[in-house]
Amino acid sequence: MSIPVPNPDLAIQEVDDGLLLLKDDGSYIVVNRTAYLIWQYIGKSENLEALAENVCRRLGIDVTEVVLDDIERFIKELLDRSFLVERS
């Protein structure tokens, strides 16, 4: 899976326990600290496996199929809701 990039029209704000992503149309999502860590590697990783390796290294855990599935599901949700866009 190639990793999409953040929508350039997002407003991004750190909050107490994570990150607020706000689109121009007023829709938003607040992600927790783990999702915030994933967000930090989106756009910096070439593929899902590299992103998962970076996140797991920071968390001190092993990359497993469960981790890969969870990250892929999170990225798909952000892409479906236009918080992420396909690389051009």
Side-chain angles (χ1 to χ4, degrees):
M1 167 186 206
S2 103
I3 305 299
V5 295
N7 182 329
D9 297 326
L10 285 181
I12 301 171
Q13 177 68 45
E14 288 185 42
V15 294
D16 290 336
D17 290 325
L19 192 68
L20 168 70
L21 307 174
L22 176 64
K23 293 192 312 186
D24 286 347
D25 66 5
S27 60
Y28 68 93
I29 186 171
V30 177
V31 300
N32 65 24
R33 289 181 184 195
T34 303
Y36 182 13
L37 181 59
I38 294 166
W39 180 265
Q40 291 175 323
Y41 287 103
I42 289 175
K44 298 177 185 174
S45 302
E46 290 300 315
N47 57 51
L48 179 64
E49 292 77 15
L51 190 153
E53 286 174 15
N54 288 323
V55 169
C56 289
R57 186 176 313 109
R58 289 275 307 272
L59 294 173
I61 62 174
D62 293 329
V63 176
T64 64
E65 286 300 315
V66 172
V67 170
L68 289 167
D69 289 346
D70 287 348
I71 292 173
E72 185 172 18
R73 192 171 24 259
F74 174 65
I75 289 171
K76 183 175 179 346
E77 177 185 352
L78 293 179
L79 188 59
D80 289 347
R81 296 178 61 190
S82 300
F83 290 98
L84 293 174
V85 295
E86 294 292 348
R87 291 178 188 259
S88 41

